[in-house]
Amino acid sequence: MDLPVDEWKSYILQKWSLLPKSIQVTISTAETLHDLFLHSSPLLQPEDEMFLKRLSGGYLVGKDPDASLFYREKGNQKFQAKDYMGAAVLYSKGVSHSGPSSTDISLCYANRSAALFHLGQYETCLKDIVRAQTHGYPERLQPKLLLRKAECLVTLGRPQEASQTVIDLESSFAAKPTLSASQFQILQRILCRVKVKVQEKENLPEIFPEALTKTFEGVDLREENEQIPGASSSVSLHVDPLKGRYLVATKDILPGELLVKEDAFVSVLNPGEVPLWPRGLESKWDIQVTNGDLHCHRCLRHTLAPVPCDGCSYAKYCSQECMQQAWDRYHSVECSLGALLLTLGLFCHVALRSTLLARFEDVGKVTKKLCGEMSNQGICLPESKNPVQTLKYDLGGEGDKKDKAVETPIPGCDINGKYERNYNAIFHLLPHTENHSPEHKFLCALSVSALCRQLEAAGLQAFTTDLKPTKLKAAEPPVLCAELSVWGVAMLRHMLQLQCNAQAITTIQQTGSKESLITDTRRVRLATALFPVVSLLNHSCSPNTSVSFIGTIATIRASQLIRSGQEILHCYGPHESRMGVAERRQKLRSQYFFDCDCPPCEREKQRPSAGPGRGAFRCHRCRALLQGDDVLSCSGPACMESVSRDLLVSRLQDLQRQVGAAQKHLRNGRLEVAIQLLLGCQSDAESFLSAEHSVVGEIEDALAQAYAALDLPLFAGDWEKSATHLQKSLQVVEVHHGPSSVEMGHELFKLAQVFFNGCAVPEALKTIQKAEKVLLVHYGPWNDEIRELQKMKSCLLDLLPIPVGPKE
């Protein structure tokens, strides 16, 4: 996903092993990225490029009318089964594979508009109707399209437009009677119904759907930092020879305060598991749904009606405007390289797009910087030879100027000390060249070399300095920039930077049954991005901030009280609530090249048993906790029971497999089977695990979902069982993550849903208040779950009080 596909990695690793020792040493000891690229690039042979081309050929990213027909027919099957969501996605796939201004694309747009109409997406339905007509929708089919348009307009409260559409339709019937008698009668009946609706609406005031015009209200910074664009004035930028750049609180910061709001400099949508074409007869085109089918490839907005690129079937956008912006800024170059970029991985794609975006800044300045690297001037020297110089701050006030150290600009800042949210800041992110293995550097260098050669072979003006916006059309073959190798070095730098500096953009995705009382969710990775300001935050296994995303915009909020002078910290992934100190430190060392010495790590090093899951076994006789290393002994005063840790670990693994099997039954709708298995797991867990063990919480949460998903008319009171199990799960979550954690907020949201659907008004209102309080700290007011909580609260408050009968 991040790195190239396994076949290319194995191929390059084999190539590396066959290189003469002297060449391996030359590449391994290269002091600059230019030297690394210079020595590696010539080693890419034509047979290597042919192998890569064969791999790339497995990704079907071109237009194909046969695929369009395939997806339209599959969409029709979903539509007939009333699975309108599934139909819309398949019609979208058909749209992507159709050429512009073709009958295929017009039919797919029209069919998708029907699915959207049944989903209640009337505004989007109207847009698809216009698109179908623009691309030449057959005239003989126009009447039913116009009827759908009229029904949308009526439903949206736009009777004047609906009336005009009806008039146009009647004129069309009279002028060109292209329908059979039976078709004409059917459409006439529908038309009469629509005309009645229009007449009912005409005397009503015009009603417009309430648009979310202030999506980012409450997400704005109270006061923006003059030195760090996108950051609050509550923080300041510092630098240290060991820690590098970091942010510090300039005053006491309350929980929930917004500290950073930043749009990504560059982002690339995570395509998910895009299958290779297996070259079979019936499996040439896949019907699985990925992130790439549901999100705009530029702004990441969720959409059921994407607009495809005119040149490829892979890139899709939420609007014509997003498509044009993407084309002008990078996709005109990337369009013909889609299969290669999927093969080379996300990091290579982000590296290419970063350099393409650099063209839109001061190109002479950027080129000079890159050429400076080639000349061994400053930046390109190995990190060990170019330590970050300390910027001395006079935090106490005026101070004695003669004692102040000579200030040097912080990397990424301009001459006035202002941090730049631009390519300069991205360029100064450390690639940690000396920490990567020689094999990894060789893989990255040859991947970038292969990409550069494809750019050259395609004759694309990838790195031109002519930055005038282009029209959305096939790129003409201009002359490439003579310094392509300079930009190759830049891409190599970015590819190496990404291991430590890439930020995963995540979103909350709903899972489980739609009929369930509670919404089960999971956090999924949506894109990989680079954020100049977010990259300034250092790691802690117990951070004092929460990071969330709205499209490509990252927001960072204080998750707890941060005192003036304290560092602003967030978690790179390994969190103290999810793994022990040894595993956390190993992960951080292998990916980020540092040994974590945050307070939780130091504390757990002194007391290893304090980590999550440690000491979580209990005696089956007296229920007291078991203690020890290889052999665990009961901590009860009168119990002499002891047991092997390996035996308990084996038993725990077997229990986890059973829980996994029950969850699979749950996902497949076999609720009674899932409940029986989970109850067995619950009984087994009680015999040897503590009540706070994470697996116990997992079992209780699954039982809550299962009871909530049962057919309620037949199983009265199931919401009460669901609530009981969720409350037990909450106790485990609180122990592991804390009462104010985002995990606690999500679990409280589920409990609020159960109480709401069970009409337990006092309990629901109380739980809603708790969930809102926690989630507001981490997400702010525009989070989907918070808005859902507010709707539930409004509905409950509107309920009439239950009448109380006279006292006996």
Side-chain angles (χ1 to χ4, degrees), residues 7-26:
E7 294 87 346
W8 179 244
K9 285 190 288 187
S10 299
Y11 182 88
I12 295 301
L13 186 63
Q14 176 71 11
K15 184 178 181 72
W16 170 263
S17 67
L18 297 175
L19 290 176
K21 190 69 175 177
S22 59
I23 295 179
Q24 288 187 357
V25 170
T26 299

Side-chain angles (χ1 to χ4, degrees), residues 23 26-27 30 34-43 442:
I23 295 179
T26 299
I27 293 172
H34 170 249
D35 289 343
L36 174 61
F37 190 74
L38 182 70
H39 294 306
S40 301
S41 185
L43 298 175
F442 186 63

Side-chain angles (χ1 to χ4, degrees), residues 623-643:
R623 324 307 290 164
L625 289 177
L626 297 172
Q627 297 176 340
D629 294 321
D630 294 337
V631 177
L632 301 179
S633 301
C634 181
S635 60
C639 184
M640 304 299 292
E641 191 72 17
S642 63
V643 64

